[in-house]
Amino acid sequence: FYMLRAVANPASAAPAGEGLLVGLGPIRIAAYLDRPQIVTAASGQEYHLSEEHRWAERLDENIARVSARNLAAYLPAERIVPHPWPREPKPDVQVAITLQELHVDPAGEARMSALWTLRHGKARALDRQFSCRQPASTVDYARMVEVESQCLARLNRDMANAIRSLDQSVNLAGDGHD
């Protein structure tokens, strides 16, 4: 059984929990991934489900938990709240993920592709595409999951950079928080 893992929490000089309230979610995953078995590609249109190598928890829940930890590491001043969040206080920003692809191809390359959306209040949503391809393994499932964790960390870093830029632009406009 395998789980994606969060990045190591870097030492931070910023005080925790004084910035934006970031709502994380919902997290959606492609139907072919919504199962306990780890998926690998045998070709461009053929996939294998491993009965011996499985996710230790639902993949969407694992991605949500790891993404929350990664965002907290990348944005230590922000407060991260997973979906569904309470009615009050409402998140200042919301970031949602739709995972379209997460598997290892026949050449042993881990592939992740996702669409993600950043919303701030009633402002127009920022929609982004993300893609990651990194060498992994065709037989070592621990290595496969480790590289998939690295791809998720890269996605979360891109999201954190967009949130940080949004927070800076809001503060520069005099519309931010104290």
Side-chain angles (χ1 to χ4, degrees), residues 105-121:
D105 69 15
E109 186 174 65
R111 293 180 174 208
M112 174 189 268
S113 64
L115 301 174
W116 62 275
T117 303
L118 178 62
R119 287 186 170 81
H120 177 256

Side-chain angles (χ1 to χ4, degrees), residues 100-131:
Q100 298 175 310
E101 180 179 50
L102 181 67
H103 63 265
V104 172
D105 69 15
E109 186 174 65
R111 293 180 174 208
M112 174 189 268
S113 64
L115 301 174
W116 62 275
T117 303
L118 178 62
R119 287 186 170 81
H120 177 256
K122 297 190 188 284
R124 186 175 177 279
L126 173 71
D127 296 316
R128 294 284 186 250
Q129 291 185 330
F130 173 83
S131 180

Side-chain angles (χ1 to χ4, degrees), residues 4-5 16 37 39 44 47 59 67 69 78 89 100 105 109 111-112 123-124 133 135 139 160-161 171:
L4 297 167
R5 68 163 184 82
Q37 299 93 342
V39 176
Y47 294 87
L59 185 57
S67 292
R69 289 185 62 201
E78 316 303 357
Q100 298 175 310
D105 69 15
E109 186 174 65
R111 293 180 174 208
M112 174 189 268
R124 186 175 177 279
R133 291 181 175 197
V139 294
N161 289 339
N171 284 330

Side-chain angles (χ1 to χ4, degrees), residues 86-100:
R87 283 179 103 61
E88 294 296 329
K90 289 188 183 337
D92 298 308
V93 297
Q94 175 188 354
V95 64
I97 302 171
T98 300
L99 189 68
Q100 298 175 310

Side-chain angles (χ1 to χ4, degrees), residues 1 28 33 37 41 61 64 76 91 113 126 147-148 155 160 162 172 178:
F1 293 92
R28 293 183 177 91
L33 296 169
Q37 299 93 342
E61 292 175 2
S113 64
L126 173 71
V147 174
E148 290 171 343
L155 169 62
L172 288 174
D178 298 323

Side-chain angles (χ1 to χ4, degrees), residues 20 78 161-174:
L20 293 173
E78 316 303 357
N161 289 339
I163 293 166
R164 191 176 297 113
S165 294
L166 175 68
D167 191 23
Q168 290 169 352
S169 68
V170 167
N171 284 330
L172 288 174

